[in-house]
């Protein structure tokens, strides 16, 4: 471990499209999946991450380095996360949430989930269906029944988009 | 929230058009159910449940969210406005709503559970049942906010009391592991015994945040223990409290109201953020200094919510606070002399970066020429000064000028002419608006010429 040897240990991560990345162990172990591999002694050579592509992994590593450089200050970490995610499109966010889930990085997972939820906030059902390409497989009768069952949800929810 | 809009653009490539036809971000359907549940857990309960209408896949997802936030919306105001019988109806509606959701919700664990409504003793059974439900799901954050807009009326209903039976380990169904995940507990307008609070401190090894606000039965409380991981503690507006002892090695922020009795702090090496409120009859700077004696030199943020102006003058008695970065002072009113006295208080904080003054200056007195301008005190770090409740009295202007003249690295001066905490409920009358506008114009006239170019002057 870095603290014991005095020199920072570097890990090599491999994406599913065979891109290699070096990253400081201290940053990489933000991922519980990677931490477990390190602790089990499986981190000697290259760590293959079969569920993450190179583009997403590069982004996740940027995040790992950025957030681990910030000392224990929740507010600063939060503002870093907000800034990090601010320019990401939905496509990237979806990749990131899958990667964060696979890598078991709860802080990134929570931040990306919250960000995606923000897109859905105060939007009508029709808007969300269109935005996310969700196919409505209810018959009109079924849909009416679901609406009836969840009647309380449609009271007082203001949507700021057309239906 | 800033989603891409579908735009039909004849120049865009065909591939993109095909994608737009499907919806511009159709990836969401590729995400597994548990991630979708994570995502909709960040929506309000109503909005999360709304997703059931999207498609059959979404029908039951919301029932697995790890957050149950029973936000009342406009319900609380409705209760306050209604006649007695209708009030009861509104409360029953809320109770039925919570019961209905808890019956259909299926998540085995909960991160957040929040009750927020004007409820009292008469709903004791229902609320207790809800709390038992939350704790049996290893909840991490619990908030019970029963604040009422009716409390200033004569007939005050009996309050809900935190149920002893919930914490009785001999009671069938109470398992100590239920409390092991609790990280935050917040009670507002809930009566709670010191035994109950001590139970949580002893049995919740992860408890980081504890808030007790507007409580009317506690008389003594000890938040005490070398193994406490508690980081944030708020004990405010507990009228009967006579003695509060705090010793928590990991505490970083502490918010409290001054008591008739004593607030004792000990073993708080991490404490950097303190907020104190003191009704004018209780506050004394001696008492406050006594409470803070073990940590005053390490404080980085200090917030003083004071009752009346005279107290400010005494602040000059404070010792130097070498680490203080942010100082917030809020008072109901302030005479000119007190405003000027602030300058000596501030000069005792050499590393101050931000100063906020919130005044409700309903007395427009004006004295002239109080600051001794021959005494210069250059602040090397003060970057932001915010003055809420600026009335453009001569002393208000002088104070701002003092900062402009003495702060070497000042970046921003914010002057808010419309801040009125004392009369927050008063209607906004055209007269009030015109007074505010008049003040704004005056401020502009007085200050704009004096502010150096690199300082940003914001007038609200």
């Amino acid at each position: 471990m870095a603290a014991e040897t005095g020199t920072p240990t570097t890990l090599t991560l491999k994406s599913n499209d065979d891109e290699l990345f070096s990253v400081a162990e201290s940053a990489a172990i933000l991922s519980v999946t990677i931490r477990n591999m390190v602790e089990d002694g499986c981190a000697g050579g290259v760590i293959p991450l079969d569920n993450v592509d190179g583009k997403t992994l590069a982004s996740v590593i940027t995040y790992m380095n950025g957030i681990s450089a910030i000392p224990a200050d929740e507010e600063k970490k939060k503002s870093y996360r907000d800034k990090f995610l601010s320019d990401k499109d939905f496509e990237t966010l979806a990749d990131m949430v899958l990667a964060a889930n696979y890598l078991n990085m709860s802080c990134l997972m929570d931040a990306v989930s919250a960000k995606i939820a923000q897109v859905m906030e105060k939007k009508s059902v029709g808007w969300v269906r269109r935005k996310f390409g969700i196919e409505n497989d209810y018959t009109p009768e079924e849909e009416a029944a679901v609406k009836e069952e969840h009647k309380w949800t449609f009271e007082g929810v203001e949507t700021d988009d057309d239906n | 929230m800033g989603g891409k809009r579908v735009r039909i653009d004849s120049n865009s490539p065909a591939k993109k058009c095909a994608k737009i036809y499907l919806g511009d971000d159709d990836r969401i359907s590729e995400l597994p159910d548990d991630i979708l549940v994570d995502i909709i857990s960040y929506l309000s309960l109503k909005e999360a449940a709304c997703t059931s209408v999207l498609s059959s896949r979404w029908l039951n997802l919301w029932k697995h969210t790890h957050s149950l936030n029973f936000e009342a919306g406009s319900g609380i105001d409705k209760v306050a406005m209604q006649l007695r019988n209708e009030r009861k109806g509104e409360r029953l509606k809320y109770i039925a709503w919570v019961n209905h959701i808890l019956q259909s919700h299926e998540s085995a664990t909960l991160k957040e559970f929040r009750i927020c409504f004007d409820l009292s003793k008469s709903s004791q059974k229902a609320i207790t049942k809800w709390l038992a439900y939350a704790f049996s799901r290893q909840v991490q954050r619990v908030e019970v906010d029963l604040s009422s807009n009716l409390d200033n009326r004569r007939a005050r209903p009996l309050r809900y009391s935190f149920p002893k039976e919930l914490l009785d380990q001999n009671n069938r169904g109470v398992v100590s592991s239920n409390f092991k995940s609790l990280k935050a507990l917040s009670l507002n307008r809930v009566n709670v015994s010191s035994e109950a609070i001590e139970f949580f401190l002893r049995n919740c090894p992860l408890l980081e945040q504890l808030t007790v606000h507007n409580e009317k039965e506690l008389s003594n409380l000890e938040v005490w223990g070398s193994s406490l991981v508690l980081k944030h503690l708020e004990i405010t507006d507990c009228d009967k409290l006579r003695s509060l002892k705090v010793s928590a090695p990991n505490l970083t922020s502490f918010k409290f109201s001054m008591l008739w009795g004593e607030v004792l702090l000990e073993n708080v090496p991490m404490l950097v953020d303190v907020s104190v409120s003191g009704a004018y009859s209780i506050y004394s700077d001696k008492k406050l200094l006594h409470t803070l004696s073990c940590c005053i030199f390490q404080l980085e943020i200090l917030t003083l919510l004071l009752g009346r102006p005279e107290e400010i003058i005494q602040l000059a008695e404070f010792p130097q606070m070498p680490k203080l970065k942010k100082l917030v002072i809020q008072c109901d009113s302030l005479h000119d002399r007190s405003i000027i006295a602030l300058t000596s208080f501030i000069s005792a904080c050499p590393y101050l970066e931000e100063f906020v003054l919130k005044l409700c200056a309903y007395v427009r007195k004006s004295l002239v020429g109080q600051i001794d301008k021959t005494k210069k005190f250059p602040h090397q770090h003060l970057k932001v000064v915010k003055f809420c409740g600026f009335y453009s009295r001569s002393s208000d202007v002088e104070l701002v000028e003092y900062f402009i003249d003495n702060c070497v690295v000042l970046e921003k001066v914010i002057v808010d002419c419309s801040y009125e905490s004392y009369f927050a409920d008063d209607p906004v009358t055209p007269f009030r608006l015109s007074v505010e506008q008049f003040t704004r114009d005056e401020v502009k006239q007085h200050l704009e010429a004096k502010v150096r170019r690199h300082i940003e002057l914001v007038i609200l």
Side-chain angles (χ1 to χ4, degrees):
Chain A
M1 297 280 287
E4 287 153 15
T5 59
T7 49
T9 314
T10 317
L11 302 178
T12 306
L13 310 180
K14 192 172 93 176
S15 65
N16 63 5
D17 45 2
D18 292 331
E19 269 191 78
L20 295 177
F21 297 88
S22 311
V23 55
E25 185 187 290
S26 56
I29 55 171
L30 274 175
S31 148
V32 176
T33 309
I34 294 176
R35 188 166 68 207
N36 289 342
M37 288 182 180
V38 171
E39 278 167 7
D40 296 344
C42 313
V46 173
I47 300 180
L49 299 171
D50 297 337
N51 288 348
V52 191
D53 64 53
K55 185 176 156 252
T56 309
L57 188 54
S59 206
V60 170
I61 288 172
T62 307
Y63 171 80
M64 283 173 162
N65 287 329
I67 204 91
S68 60
I70 299 168
D73 182 334
E74 242 341 284
E75 230 166 83
K76 280 188 187 144
K77 286 192 182 198
K78 191 185 172 301
S79 75
Y80 175 81
R81 273 193 285 268
D82 290 348
K83 204 172 158 226
F84 176 74
L85 295 176
S86 64
D87 59 342
K88 305 277 186 282
D89 58 18
F90 183 79
E91 185 95 6
T92 314
L93 290 176
D95 286 330
M96 295 261 268
V97 80
L98 283 166
N101 187 43
Y102 169 67
L103 293 168
N104 198 349
M105 289 174 72
S106 57
C107 63
L108 183 59
M109 181 82 201
D110 290 350
V112 181
S113 300
K115 178 93 185 170
I116 297 176
Q118 239 177 48
V119 178
M120 304 170 79
E121 233 166 45
K122 294 190 179 162
K123 297 298 192 306
S124 66
V125 169
W127 189 91
V128 174
R129 273 190 198 135
R130 274 200 306 279
K131 170 85 182 159
F132 296 124
I134 296 167
E135 198 191 330
N136 177 16
D137 58 355
Y138 290 127
T139 63
E141 295 76 32
E142 281 170 341
E143 186 171 336
V146 175
K147 271 196 174 164
E148 179 60 31
E149 190 190 330
H150 298 86
K151 214 164 81 188
W152 55 274
T153 64
F154 297 95
E155 289 169 10
V157 173
E158 286 165 27
T159 57
D160 53 13
D161 217 282
D162 54 316
N163 203 344
Chain B
M1 296 265 141
K4 278 184 284 176
R5 282 312 196 101
V6 178
R7 200 185 303 135
I8 307 299
D9 183 348
S10 56
N11 292 327
S12 61
K15 197 178 151 200
K16 206 168 179 196
C17 282
K19 199 166 177 189
I20 286 168
Y21 180 68
L22 282 172
D24 31 352
D25 292 317
D26 55 318
R27 294 284 312 277
I28 204 159
S29 302
E30 289 173 28
L31 299 176
D33 283 358
D34 53 343
I35 293 186
L36 292 181
V37 167
D38 275 347
I39 293 170
I40 59 175
S41 291
Y42 285 93
L43 294 173
S44 73
L45 192 53
K46 281 190 173 184
E47 285 198 274
C50 262
T51 63
S52 57
V53 186
L54 289 170
S55 77
S56 60
R57 184 187 173 197
W58 291 77
L59 178 61
N60 290 316
L61 286 182
W62 74 272
K63 294 179 182 168
H64 299 271
T65 56
H66 41 66
S67 166
L68 283 174
N69 179 352
F70 294 100
E71 176 67 59
S74 57
I76 293 186
D77 298 331
K78 271 194 204 161
V79 169
M81 286 183 304
Q82 278 165 343
L83 298 168
R84 209 168 160 185
N85 284 340
E86 290 166 347
R87 223 180 273 157
K88 198 174 168 193
E90 205 61 43
R91 289 190 180 118
L92 289 176
K93 219 165 107 187
Y94 181 84
I95 292 173
W97 176 49
V98 178
N99 285 339
H100 174 72
I101 304 281
L102 295 189
Q103 264 167 22
S104 49
H105 204 261
E106 290 167 19
S107 178
T109 57
L110 283 176
K111 282 190 183 165
E112 190 200 9
F113 187 83
R114 182 165 181 262
I115 293 295
C116 174
F117 206 72
D118 177 340
L119 296 174
S120 298
K121 192 87 185 168
S122 53
S123 314
Q124 178 86 22
K125 262 193 185 158
I127 303 171
T128 300
K129 212 172 74 192
W130 301 339
L131 286 172
Y133 176 97
F135 284 117
S136 72
R137 276 152 186 81
Q138 285 87 45
V139 66
Q140 294 178 15
R141 312 179 71 83
V142 173
E143 183 179 344
V144 184
D145 177 356
L146 306 184
S147 47
S148 165
N149 293 339
L150 292 165
D151 262 0
N152 45 5
R153 300 195 187 173
R154 206 181 292 164
R156 286 174 205 166
L158 285 173
R159 288 160 173 244
Y160 174 73
S161 299
F162 195 88
K164 284 194 185 77
E165 63 268 28
L166 211 61
L167 308 176
D168 178 7
Q169 308 253 11
N170 298 322
N171 190 348
R172 212 161 48 89
V174 175
V175 192
S176 67
S177 67
N178 286 353
F179 302 96
K180 292 283 183 260
S181 311
L182 193 68
K183 288 181 183 166
L185 176 67
S186 171
L187 302 174
N188 185 352
R189 198 170 163 272
V190 171
N191 282 348
V192 59
S193 66
S194 57
E195 288 80 16
I197 292 178
E198 277 153 27
F199 173 92
F200 284 109
L201 293 171
R202 300 291 155 251
N203 290 283
C204 307
L206 303 177
L207 192 67
E208 283 187 355
Q209 201 174 329
L210 176 65
T211 301
V212 179
H213 177 71
N214 191 359
E215 201 280 348
K216 301 294 173 212
E217 276 179 5
L218 269 180
S219 62
N220 290 294
L221 180 62
E222 292 191 6
V223 178
W224 199 269
S226 56
S227 59
L228 292 183
V229 294
L230 199 68
K231 284 186 184 162
H232 309 285
L233 177 64
E234 256 181 60
I235 306 286
T236 45
D237 288 1
C238 299
D239 292 357
K240 296 257 173 73
L241 196 60
R242 287 292 170 271
S243 149
L244 171 62
K245 288 185 187 176
V246 179
S247 166
N250 292 297
L251 199 68
T252 59
S253 81
F254 179 39
K255 192 171 175 182
F256 68 104
S257 309
M258 299 284 284
L259 306 177
W260 286 111
E262 193 181 31
V263 181
L264 190 72
L265 272 177
E266 229 181 73
N267 188 21
V268 284
M270 309 294 279
L271 187 60
V272 289
D273 181 356
V274 166
S275 172
V276 190
S277 55
Y280 62 90
S281 47
I282 297 180
Y283 179 85
S284 102
D285 58 326
K286 257 193 197 141
K287 249 159 85 174
L288 179 58
L289 282 173
H290 181 65
T291 296
L292 298 180
S293 60
C294 74
C295 62
I296 194 154
F297 300 109
Q298 71 199 44
L299 292 186
E300 291 174 15
I301 303 172
L302 179 62
T303 305
L304 298 172
L305 312 166
L306 300 172
R308 68 174 175 189
E310 287 73 19
E311 290 136 13
I312 284 283
I313 302 170
Q314 303 167 343
L315 291 175
E317 317 244 318
F318 267 57
Q320 240 201 20
M321 286 181 273
K323 295 208 172 151
L324 203 69
K325 288 185 189 153
K326 182 173 177 180
L327 175 64
V328 182
I329 296 180
Q330 181 187 313
C331 350
D332 285 349
S333 160
L334 208 58
H335 292 288
D336 289 18
R337 203 178 295 113
S338 321
I339 287 201
I340 304 310
L342 281 174
T343 57
S344 62
F345 183 38
I346 290 159
S347 60
C349 312
Y351 288 97
L352 201 65
E353 289 175 12
E354 192 178 347
F355 173 64
V356 180
L357 179 62
K358 297 179 179 180
L359 289 188
C360 185
Y362 53 89
V363 187
R364 278 189 87 160
K365 280 189 187 169
S366 208
L367 300 164
V368 192
Q370 291 283 327
I371 293 183
D372 180 358
K373 286 185 177 158
T374 57
K375 249 202 208 163
K376 290 273 176 205
F377 187 91
H379 293 285
Q380 301 294 344
H381 300 274
L382 200 58
K383 288 182 196 146
V384 181
V385 171
K386 186 168 181 184
F387 192 148
C388 307
F390 191 93
Y391 245 44
S392 87
R393 301 174 297 182
S394 59
S395 57
D396 295 0
V397 177
E398 262 194 79
L399 186 70
V400 174
E401 280 179 13
Y402 164 83
F403 287 116
I404 294 170
D405 291 341
N406 287 287
C407 301
V408 183
V409 292
L410 195 65
E411 289 169 4
K412 200 170 186 179
V413 177
I414 305 159
V415 175
D416 184 349
C417 305
S418 56
Y419 180 82
E420 293 268 343
S421 71
Y422 197 82
F423 296 121
D425 295 337
D426 282 2
V428 180
T429 58
F431 173 72
R432 197 171 122 187
L433 288 177
S434 72
V435 168
E436 282 171 20
Q437 194 50 47
F438 179 73
T439 312
R440 263 180 221 117
D441 296 342
E442 267 191 339
V443 177
K444 256 196 168 161
Q445 216 180 359
H446 280 302
L447 293 178
E448 242 168 20
K450 284 170 184 150
V451 172
R452 289 189 300 272
R453 198 167 292 164
H454 61 275
I455 301 175
E456 187 187 349
L457 176 67
V458 182
I459 301 171
L460 300 172

